[in-house]
Amino acid sequence: MDAQADLVDRARRGDRTAYDAVVSACWDDVFAFVAARSVALEEADELTQEAFVAAWFSLASYEERDAFGGWVKGIARNLLRRRRAARATTDLAAVADMIAERLDHDDGAGEDDRERLARLRGCFDRLPEHLRLLATKRFAEDLPLATLCQHLRRTRASIANALTRIRATLRECVERPGSSA
Amino acid sequence: MSERIDELTQAWLDGDLDAAEIAEIRVALADPQMLARVTAHVREHQLLRGALRSDPASAARRVAAVIAARERGRPGSSRMAVIRARIGAPSAWRWMAAAAVLAIAVGVAAWTLVPWAAPAQVVVAEATAGSSLVRDGSRIALVPGLALRPQDRLEIPAIPADGAVAVRYADGSHLTVHADAAVRLWDADGAKRVALERGEVRGDIAPQPAGKAMRLSAPQAEAEVVGTRFSLVAADGVTRLAVSEGTVSLRRVDGSVSLVHAGGSAEAGANATEPAPRALLDFDFEDGARPPEAVVGRVETGPARAGNRGCITGVLDGDSRFCRVMLDAGEGATLFVFEDGLELRFDYWIDGGAASLDAYVWDDTQQDSFGSRDRFAPVPAARTWASATMRLDEWRTPDGRRLRAGDRIRQLTIQPGSEGGVLHLDNLTLVRPPGP
């Protein structure tokens, strides 16, 4: 029995500490899967958390022959679909749904999400400091564009250009052969 | 068309689409190629946000807290129901199908039945009426005892002007958010994090564990705190830090850094009245960790100073008989690029009768060593902390050559001017003072 299987087995017998370790080990994998299929990061974070909670309450039904992370992803996928079905029918929601549906149906596209996530982190660390700070404020702290413009005393176009440059730099870095975390 | 759809996608990701543009993107998405293009952008965007925000250890703690809350709130809970089901369940495949449904039902039902019991790391201690938080798009009144979740955004109204919300951390630290403020608090693997969008927060922070300094980000700057009293204000395009006890570093969006000691203050932003020196190097050693550049030296508590927790102590290196501290970017790398006006500033404590300090750099561009030998003011007093400022454009080689703008500097060494003795350094910065 490998280390993770042992932890899952202990979790099935009610060991919370073991389950904490399982969640820590699988979080990035499941989160990357959900994030790549979500239209809002808050949704990805919340749904990943919900999937792990639901998995705990359903541990009895987990089949050891399946990878635990894969099993939790299945739960997460169901949660995503339920969330989409419950979404209001506005124009904006329709756009979100079209994209979410496509993300969901891109079979196999998520297979390398975890690796891409790790590479992104490595590439992010190599950004110039001022771009790292801006990216952190926008993407990690989620400050709205308007707030950034106001506080940094820069125009919307200037901030948007900087964000586009950050995305392009990261994309190029991630896709460069040999780039690693 | 592709360019336009890219533009619309970015605007959408930035939450910046108006109704006409939403309609436009909706029509465009009917084209499978456009849909694929947008989807690729969205996936990339989400992974980027995920990469910066995913934190498995704190996520595991959140999951554990939710599980605990749901189990506490449901006597004879669904967890128990699942266990009973397992005992009587011979067919795994049958239960596999049922479990998917059960898992979701448990999640959704428990969510609606059980009040949130947060990780108990941050709890509202006091709150002025009218203060609220935004959670999952809903507004919730702030009341004493309410536990905060990582995504909560606290909003304190402008009226009354003396309104405030106080939150308490598990380690006894307190943070007070004053009127007309918006702030978010979360935990990053055991380290406190605060994002101040606007307004003022004041902190009374217990000493934080090594490597887990509290960070407060504001629009123009980020403050790092290891245990102190301070206030951080973000208003009118300026972020202002005032420290009443201990030391806090303020890192501005432009990369410049100020170390603010007890009784001091610093500002950041276009409207700041205090011009900010630009820091090319900045080490306060408060987190107890040795920076990777510090290839010679040992980070430790050092001689006591109120509100200070760490410094770097010189060690004997190789055959040297000087107790030195050396920063080295590594073979082929650059510690900093020299420019006119650079000042090296640091606090020091020296013992062993040394009459002076010696500092020098290795210049990769000129392939030579440039130093301050015999040019630095004598050490004023042994066995007490003192501050030093050295101008690098005064440094020379033994034959009188100077550093040139654009020179790539790989190493910086500071040591006593004579052999033996002990040297402690702290708050070491290399700054370019603001121009006229």
Side-chain angles (χ1 to χ4, degrees), chain B residues 249-275:
Chain B
S249 73
L250 186 76
R251 181 178 297 276
R252 299 173 179 80
V253 171
D254 66 5
S256 65
V257 177
S258 288
L259 281 172
V260 186
H261 302 286
S265 64
E267 293 183 344
N271 295 343
T273 52
E274 170 212 48

Side-chain angles (χ1 to χ4, degrees), chain A residues 16 28 45 49-50 57 61 63 65 82 91 102 121 129 137 140-142 151 153 156 167 171, chain B residues 10 16 26 44 49 51 54 62 70-71 82 92-93 99 104 184 197 217-220 251:
Chain A
R16 289 266 188 83
D28 267 358
D45 203 42
Q49 175 177 308
E50 198 53 42
F57 286 107
S61 60
E63 283 288 304
R65 62 188 158 199
R82 285 170 63 96
D91 258 3
R102 171 69 191 230
R121 287 196 181 112
E129 183 161 5
K137 292 201 172 299
E141 294 167 17
D142 245 0
H151 289 305
R153 302 266 163 170
R156 181 175 290 267
R167 291 184 184 110
R171 190 183 311 128
Chain B
Q10 295 306 337
D16 207 23
R26 188 175 181 180
E44 177 187 87
R49 297 172 80 195
S54 174
R62 290 204 312 271
R70 293 186 191 179
E71 288 192 336
V82 172
W93 280 110
I104 293 160
R184 278 183 295 175
E197 289 178 29
S217 63
Q220 291 85 14
R251 181 178 297 276

Side-chain angles (χ1 to χ4, degrees), chain B residues 174-361:
Chain B
H174 276 80
L175 205 64
T176 305
V177 189
H178 289 267
D180 197 17
V183 66
R184 278 183 295 175
L185 302 89
W186 72 100
D187 174 281
D189 198 15
K192 296 178 178 64
R193 295 286 183 266
V194 176
L196 176 66
E197 289 178 29
R198 67 167 198 281
E200 176 179 1
V201 293
R202 291 188 187 193
D204 184 353
I205 306 302
Q208 300 299 288
K212 306 282 183 189
M214 179 182 196
R215 282 199 194 144
L216 301 98
S217 63
Q220 291 85 14
E222 180 178 270
E224 187 171 293
V225 177
V226 291
T228 184
R229 289 174 190 232
F230 66 91
S231 76
L232 185 68
V233 181
D236 303 325
V238 180
T239 294
R240 185 175 295 109
L241 170 73
V243 178
S244 52
E245 184 180 311
T247 301
V248 181
S249 73
L250 186 76
R251 181 178 297 276
R252 299 173 179 80
V253 171
D254 66 5
S256 65
V257 177
S258 288
L259 281 172
V260 186
H261 302 286
S265 64
E267 293 183 344
N271 295 343
T273 52
E274 170 212 48
R278 177 172 173 73
L280 302 181
L281 297 175
D282 174 44
F283 301 98
D284 64 7
F285 311 109
E286 287 295 271
D287 63 2
R290 189 171 70 168
E293 299 91 336
V295 295
V296 178
R298 186 175 61 244
V299 174
E300 55 186 29
T301 308
R305 269 183 302 168
N308 198 77
R309 263 171 280 283
C311 68
I312 188 163
T313 299
V315 297
L316 296 174
D317 174 36
D319 296 329
S320 169
R321 284 166 294 178
F322 293 92
C323 184
R324 63 172 51 142
V325 170
M326 182 191 288
L327 306 178
D328 188 343
E331 191 71 45
T334 302
L335 191 62
F336 63 90
V337 175
F338 174 76
E339 53 190 295
D340 290 328
L342 284 183
E343 286 185 359
L344 179 65
R345 301 172 182 175
F346 54 89
D347 298 335
Y348 66 93
W349 187 105
I350 199 163
D351 187 20
S356 64
L357 278 179
D358 187 15
Y360 51 93
V361 293

